[in-house]
Amino acid sequence: MTTTSPVGAEIDRVEGRAKVTGAARYAADQRVNGKAYGYLVQSTIGLGSISSMNTAQALAAPGVIAVYSPFNPLKLYARQGDSAERYVPLQDDKVRFRGQIIGLVVAESFEQARDAAALVRTQYREEGHPRTSVAAAAPGTTVPSDAVGYPGPPSKNTVLAPGVASIDDALRDSAVTVESTFYQDPQNHCAMEPHATIAEWRDGRLTVYVGAQGPQQYAAALAGRLGVESDRVHVVSPYVGGGFGGKYKVWNDALVTAAAARDLGRPVKLVVSREQAFILNGHRPALQQTVKLGASHDGVLNAVWHETDSEDSVVGYCPNLPAEVTRALYKTPNLHFDQRQVTLDLPPISSMRAPWATPGAFALETAMDELAVKTGVDPLTLRLRNYATTSPETGRPWSSKHLDECYRVGAERFGWADRSPVPGTRVDGEWLVGMGMASGMLSATRAPASARVRFRDDGTVTVASAISDLGTGATTMLAIVAADALGVSLKTVSAELGDSALPPGVPAIGSIVTGSTVPAVQAAARDAITALITLAVQDAASPFHGKNSTDVHYQEGRLEADGRSVSFAQLLRAVGNPAVEAIATTAPGAETTRYAMDSFAAHFCEVRVNRYTGEPRVSRFTTVVDVGRVVNAKALRSQLVGGIIFGIGNALLEVNAIEDNGRLANSSLADYLVPVNADIPAIDTHWLDYPDTVFSEFGSRGMGELTTVGSSAAVGNAVYNATGIRIRDLPITLDKLIA
Amino acid sequence: MTERERSEEPGDGLSRRGLLGRASAMAVGAAVVSTSSPGAAFASDTAAAVPPAVGEHLVDVRLSVNGRPVRLRADPRWTLLDTLRERLELTGTKKGCDRGQCGACTVHVDGRRVLSCLTLAAAADGSQVRTIEGLADGDELHPMQQAFIDHDGFQCGACTSGQIMSAVALVDEGHAASDDEIREYMSGNICRCSAYPFIVDAVKAASKVMR
Ligand code: FES
Ligand code: FES
């Protein structure tokens, strides 16, 4: 009897039953007895200081236990712990942005805390006008990417062909040029689970229930800010209700919750309101960017130029580097980019699903569409004509790249040949119909990772790593890879993650979880088999005692030697061991310095724009990807579709407009539009099957963010094809289309 | 430099809190789970988790939740959502916005889908409430739950309870006749993971079994 490997098959999520029955406990669902409830007080000015706070009424309100403020601060440390924001709350009277945390009310019930928070009276000194406009403050400063904790390729670079004096010369000497400037206001993650923290201290040790994209990284940062050793903070995060980059770092709401629980000697629960999450838990920054392309008459690129000015909040936390795609997508002899940051007095920014590549690809891939129009070359042909086989910046070849096949297969599935190159010529009743395409690309990264595989005497196997499942399917991935590596049935494997006490795992950022963790699980499985065999030959109670370990073979959950076959459970029971296990750590090698490594996508989109109202609707979408070997077809399809829909939201709906006073105007789910079911047509996805064995032996690259990259450009290019109107300021809304 | 005083009330405009009025709202209540049928849904630590009743203005609320009688001395501010989650430990129902904007908190009240964040517990007095925890028949999943697993109608799961409660209701309402109708009638439930096409598949599949 042979166990079929689950790798690449359509596998249901192993935690599916818990999620459809309501049994899955997210942070705010955890049962902790004796807890008090916190509610945050926020500043109502954008820049200045607090001259006084009257908390007497709040303190006197029923059920109130404590009111913390800059005048009654919590003990936190500003210099330790890599938490999200560059300041620590309640330590000084400064107001840095509108909506900053300036107080915390703790009460016996949620309702009491919330209502008492409204009773706090604050007097401010406004000090000047907050800086809120990227355009007004541009050009910003080029910050070396490694200077801000993001080591990697430079923030600014120029590559010139021999004999070319400057990038301006290269552009001037090109037969055809395109120059376009793009703008977008902030966008928000809007994970359906708002940030929630339950903090409980016992004997100087903190257990914190929170949705964390990296439980161990979260524990370390929190411990630093609280001034305790990392091993005193235990992060429990078995389920995360969506992250999209917004639940990686420790935000200040979690810091004050943990500090208040310590101060009160009592568990505290704090769930930010949806409106607070929009302000306090990060946003995709406002961004202005310009792309210039120089090409021959038939569209062959001679120069690619991309400069960006991105909002950087005065409180952090990450630089925006949108030229990530520009530096490598097309073959060009001359390349220039400069990614600048503009400091503004706005709420914190953070990484949001393909934080750099998503806005960057919108600009580059829209500009490429403009070049197609200007040269009269079909957009798909234009891309194949400029296809890169080595990175134009570094000269390295790709570990595995089949984007050309993605283009061709996608065009075929979508029916790209039926596209009319002349905008506004396909009409269906009151709808103008258009088609657009674009490319997507996302760097594939592996990081050191550990995993544990354990055989148990009840016949089950557990696989564990301190990673996190945000809905990505990471739990199922662990189980699939362990079942495959051990040749056992998926049903016998249970996966553990979302706990900082497990073997070191990579955080769920940059789509690195699968690529990094699969090799670790495979290595742990191999080591666990070795440990099992060692036990079998060494333990006196084992039927294989005294045999040479090379004569004992493991196959599909059984040990065999001399015609005798024993299951691992039988062996463990015979020797009286509850389990045998191994922990393994793996890391990428020298290949990372020799190859470029990326995942790729080709997007094709059909839109319908109402002739009378200007309303744009996506009516069809096809995406074909090259992501290496696929672990779980079902989870992959969901991730691809989810990413495309994120891109549709990015293109057509999402904006949190900045008001002059520093208020983010659309901070609710009524005012900030995300796609709903009626906005989304059937979506066709397809993946090529080329395991990337340079990247790892298993050959699986990450893909969680990939399809958000370029999908918004495909929508915008289709809108142009439908209407002849080019919108460069996102989102593309109907008011911009009724010219 | 100017100096002025402002209220710290987060957000802008009217809130439910303002509408209720504070004078009548300062109270703490307690939940008393009927001891006649202590079910698995009401864990044994329920009593310990509920603060003692110290307030005034408490109101008596009687509900049937997933077929079990529940008697509450309720703070009039309690929403049905917070009552389920914080008092009855039925945390399957999720809070995505607390403002009626996302659908995560959808439950059935007397057979109709309602947003439990916009329903006060006191206003639900006397009604039959059904939550995601009450959908399966023992170990046997409701066809809609099974269809969500089969079609991968979710990723993170945070919207899923609400999606499933809406989906069950829309089939009963007779609104699952076409893909477009399902899309329209499921559009009160946001899924940020964007499982939308698979939710449509799941509703279609389950509606055939449910008929
Ligand atoms: S929580 Fe009730 S609609 Fe969002
Ligand atoms: S499954 Fe994550 S929001 Fe719907």
Side-chain angles (χ1 to χ4, degrees):
Chain A
M1 190 181 74
T2 309
T3 312
T4 332
S5 168
V7 170
E10 301 269 345
I11 305 295
D12 293 344
R13 282 166 208 270
V14 294
E15 80 287 10
R17 195 180 176 93
K19 284 180 174 174
V20 301
T21 56
R25 290 218 190 118
Y26 300 75
D29 307 337
Q30 298 286 347
R31 290 172 191 175
V32 174
N33 284 341
K35 61 185 174 290
Y37 292 79
Y39 200 90
L40 299 168
V41 183
Q42 294 171 274
S43 77
T44 55
I45 67 162
L47 185 64
S49 56
I50 298 166
S51 46
S52 70
M53 282 175 89
N54 184 341
T55 56
Q57 234 190 318
L59 266 169
V64 171
I65 300 161
V67 179
Y68 298 101
S69 73
F71 307 99
N72 178 32
L74 285 160
K75 189 74 188 155
L76 287 165
Y77 294 83
R79 290 176 186 281
Q80 289 177 42
D82 180 25
S83 70
E85 289 157 87
R86 292 183 191 133
Y87 76 106
V88 170
L90 310 185
Q91 308 299 303
D92 59 39
D93 62 3
K94 279 202 183 62
V95 175
R96 298 158 175 87
F97 63 90
R98 194 182 192 278
Q100 176 186 314
I101 296 172
I102 58 168
L104 169 70
V105 176
V106 183
E108 297 292 343
S109 79
F110 164 67
E111 292 79 7
Q112 290 172 330
R114 181 192 63 195
D115 288 8
L119 300 174
V120 174
R121 290 283 174 272
T122 305
Q123 291 193 309
Y124 300 97
R125 279 184 300 272
E126 287 192 288
E127 290 158 9
H129 195 84
R131 295 162 293 175
T132 59
S133 163
V134 168
T141 330
T142 308
V143 185
S145 51
D146 50 2
V148 279
Y150 290 82
S155 301
K156 177 180 181 173
N157 200 3
T158 305
V159 177
L160 297 173
V164 177
S166 74
I167 190 73
D168 289 340
D169 281 359
L171 283 164
R172 199 177 322 108
D173 293 343
S174 302
V176 183
T177 55
V178 164
E179 174 174 349
S180 286
T181 296
F182 305 85
Y183 184 76
Q184 69 175 48
D185 261 332
Q187 298 183 334
N188 285 87
H189 309 71
C190 299
M192 283 307 296
E193 176 203 35
H195 292 64
T197 310
I198 302 177
E200 181 175 31
W201 291 83
R202 269 195 200 153
D203 306 325
R205 292 175 186 276
L206 170 66
T207 301
V208 55
Y209 303 92
V210 68
Q213 289 185 222
Q216 285 165 336
Q217 296 76 14
Y218 196 99
L222 187 56
R225 291 296 203 216
L226 292 165
V228 300
E229 296 84 346
S230 282
D231 60 9
R232 291 189 170 246
V233 176
H234 182 199
V235 169
V236 181
S237 185
Y239 296 97
V240 183
F244 314 114
K247 288 179 185 158
Y248 173 43
K249 295 275 186 167
V250 179
W251 294 103
N252 281 346
D253 57 272
L255 285 187
V256 296
T257 307
R262 177 164 62 180
D263 188 59
L264 296 171
R266 183 173 171 182
V268 175
K269 171 175 181 173
L270 188 148
V271 184
V272 302
S273 72
R274 175 57 65 186
E275 290 76 9
Q276 290 170 339
F278 273 94
I279 303 299
L280 297 173
N281 304 127
H283 60 268
R284 193 194 282 289
L287 173 66
Q288 179 175 290
Q289 46 183 342
T290 299
V291 172
K292 298 181 195 177
L293 302 176
S296 67
H297 285 294
D298 53 4
V300 176
L301 287 168
N302 179 49
V304 175
W305 187 105
H306 190 176
E307 294 200 353
T308 66
D309 285 292
S310 181
E311 168 202 353
D312 184 17
S313 164
V314 68
V315 298
Y317 71 74
C318 55
N320 192 8
L321 304 170
E324 186 184 13
V325 165
T326 312
R327 68 197 330 150
L329 186 55
Y330 294 114
K331 180 177 174 182
T332 179
N334 300 289
L335 171 70
H336 164 83
F337 55 83
D338 186 6
Q339 305 164 99
R340 295 178 295 259
Q341 319 297 327
V342 172
T343 305
L344 299 178
D345 303 304
L346 290 174
I349 62 168
S350 71
S351 45
M352 176 168 149
R353 205 168 193 169
W356 303 338
T358 293
F362 175 73
L364 178 67
E365 287 296 86
T366 305
M368 283 296 281
D369 203 62
E370 295 182 65
L371 182 63
V373 171
K374 218 164 175 179
T375 55
V377 178
D378 176 83
L380 178 57
T381 310
L382 183 74
R383 283 165 174 90
L384 288 168
R385 206 165 271 177
N386 290 291
Y387 195 76
T389 50
T390 57
S391 162
E393 188 185 17
T394 63
R396 288 179 200 159
W398 269 278
S399 55
S400 176
K401 177 178 178 181
H402 302 275
L403 177 58
D404 48 354
E405 190 174 331
C406 293
Y407 288 138
R408 292 196 181 96
V409 172
E412 179 70 24
R413 294 174 77 95
F414 181 76
W416 180 253
D418 297 338
R419 174 180 178 267
S420 163
V422 186
T425 52
R426 272 189 65 196
V427 182
D428 179 9
E430 61 188 84
W431 298 93
L432 300 169
V433 184
M435 295 184 185
M437 59 90 52
S439 328
M441 175 173 170
L442 193 77
S443 62
T445 310
R446 253 184 86 182
S450 303
R452 180 178 64 213
V453 168
R454 178 183 282 166
F455 292 105
R456 302 161 64 104
D457 65 354
D458 62 0
T460 65
V461 170
T462 55
V463 52
S465 180
I467 55 172
S468 188
D469 190 340
L470 323 177
T472 54
T475 320
T476 313
M477 176 274 290
L478 282 180
I480 288 172
V481 176
D484 173 63
L486 298 174
V488 298
S489 131
L490 190 58
K491 282 199 289 290
T492 65
V493 181
S494 64
E496 292 175 62
L497 46 61
D499 189 318
S500 61
L502 295 172
V506 296
I509 55 166
S511 302
I512 66 172
V513 170
T514 298
S516 306
T517 310
V518 167
V521 173
Q522 290 186 312
R526 280 193 292 267
D527 292 355
I529 291 170
T530 305
L532 193 68
I533 292 173
T534 305
L535 179 73
V537 297
Q538 287 181 355
D539 195 290
S542 159
F544 302 114
H545 180 238
K547 291 208 183 304
N548 196 326
S549 61
T550 51
D551 295 334
V552 180
H553 300 288
Y554 173 92
Q555 204 182 355
E556 298 185 353
R558 304 183 74 82
L559 292 182
E560 290 161 3
D562 300 337
R564 182 148 189 205
S565 167
V566 170
S567 75
F568 69 80
Q570 287 167 328
L571 173 76
L572 289 169
R573 285 198 295 265
V575 304
N577 267 22
V580 63
E581 68 174 39
I583 296 175
T585 302
T586 53
E591 69 278 2
T592 56
T593 60
R594 292 203 296 266
Y595 293 91
M597 299 182 181
D598 296 276
S599 285
F600 301 94
H603 301 290
F604 297 85
C605 172
E606 181 190 85
V607 300
R608 304 177 149 243
V609 178
N610 192 284
R611 291 163 72 187
Y612 307 110
T613 66
E615 180 191 12
R617 313 266 317 157
V618 173
S619 47
R620 285 196 301 130
F621 215 109
T622 291
T623 294
V624 178
V625 299
D626 169 24
V627 296
R629 189 170 179 199
V630 170
V631 177
N632 180 357
K634 207 170 217 178
L636 170 69
R637 188 183 302 108
S638 286
Q639 284 268 72
L640 297 179
V641 166
I644 292 163
I645 296 173
F646 234 77
I648 293 173
N650 179 272
L652 297 181
L653 296 168
E654 298 184 32
V655 59
N656 201 345
I658 303 169
E659 288 186 342
D660 191 45
N661 62 8
R663 176 177 174 267
L664 295 180
N666 305 56
S667 295
S668 78
L669 285 177
D671 298 313
Y672 183 93
L673 304 185
V674 298
V676 297
N677 212 321
D679 294 322
I680 301 305
I683 292 175
D684 170 41
T685 54
H686 180 75
W687 47 92
L688 309 181
D689 183 22
Y690 293 108
D692 184 347
T693 51
V694 172
F695 181 74
S696 76
E697 187 191 326
F698 187 85
S700 186
R701 295 189 303 256
M703 49 73 190
E705 302 164 277
L706 172 65
T707 52
T708 306
V709 183
S711 42
S712 50
V715 174
N717 294 340
V719 167
Y720 175 81
N721 184 245
T723 63
I725 302 171
R726 182 72 68 184
I727 306 298
R728 299 182 188 85
D729 296 351
L730 291 178
I732 302 167
T733 45
L734 75 181
D735 51 302
K736 297 172 185 168
L737 294 172
I738 36 176
Chain B
M1 200 182 291
T2 62
E3 189 153 314
R4 63 210 157 96
E5 184 175 297
R6 290 208 198 158
S7 159
E8 289 298 339
E9 182 156 326
D12 301 276
L14 278 180
S15 67
R16 202 165 44 227
R17 176 191 337 152
L19 288 169
L20 273 173
R22 290 192 185 98
S24 67
M26 293 301 162
V28 183
V32 182
V33 177
S34 169
T35 48
S36 60
S37 55
F42 306 135
S44 55
D45 57 353
T46 300
V50 176
V54 295
E56 295 164 7
H57 310 294
L58 300 185
V59 291
D60 283 318
V61 178
R62 281 162 199 276
L63 302 169
S64 156
V65 181
N66 299 329
R68 298 173 196 284
V70 174
R71 198 156 45 83
L72 298 159
R73 287 283 292 161
D75 183 323
R77 292 171 294 184
W78 291 357
T79 61
L80 179 57
L81 173 60
D82 285 325
T83 305
L84 293 169
R85 290 182 50 79
E86 304 294 337
R87 308 285 152 174
L88 303 179
E89 299 201 328
L90 291 169
T91 49
T93 307
K94 305 302 181 199
K95 185 189 282 190
C97 70
D98 217 13
R99 303 285 184 269
Q101 299 163 351
C102 76
C105 64
T106 306
V107 299
H108 297 171
V109 174
D110 295 334
R112 298 178 41 153
R113 45 173 161 165
V114 305
L115 298 173
S116 61
C117 72
L118 290 189
T119 306
L120 290 170
D125 185 32
S127 31
Q128 312 263 344
V129 179
R130 194 186 198 195
T131 72
I132 190 75
E133 290 93 342
L135 213 50
D137 183 4
D139 275 350
E140 177 93 4
L141 293 180
H142 186 281
M144 193 62 75
Q145 292 172 312
Q146 188 60 51
F148 267 67
I149 293 176
D150 295 345
H151 296 271
D152 213 27
F154 57 91
Q155 294 178 37
C156 78
C159 73
T160 309
S161 303
Q163 300 279 0
I164 290 174
M165 295 312 282
S166 270
V168 168
L170 90 82
V171 172
D172 292 343
E173 291 158 15
H175 286 140
S178 69
D179 287 12
D180 276 346
E181 197 179 32
I182 294 170
R183 286 189 186 108
E184 194 66 33
Y185 281 87
M186 286 301 290
S187 281
N189 289 83
I190 292 172
C191 177
R192 186 53 160 167
C193 298
S194 301
Y196 297 129
F198 312 112
I199 292 171
V200 173
D201 293 345
V203 174
K204 256 197 305 195
S207 71
K208 293 193 187 104
V209 184
M210 286 168 69
R211 251 189 252 124

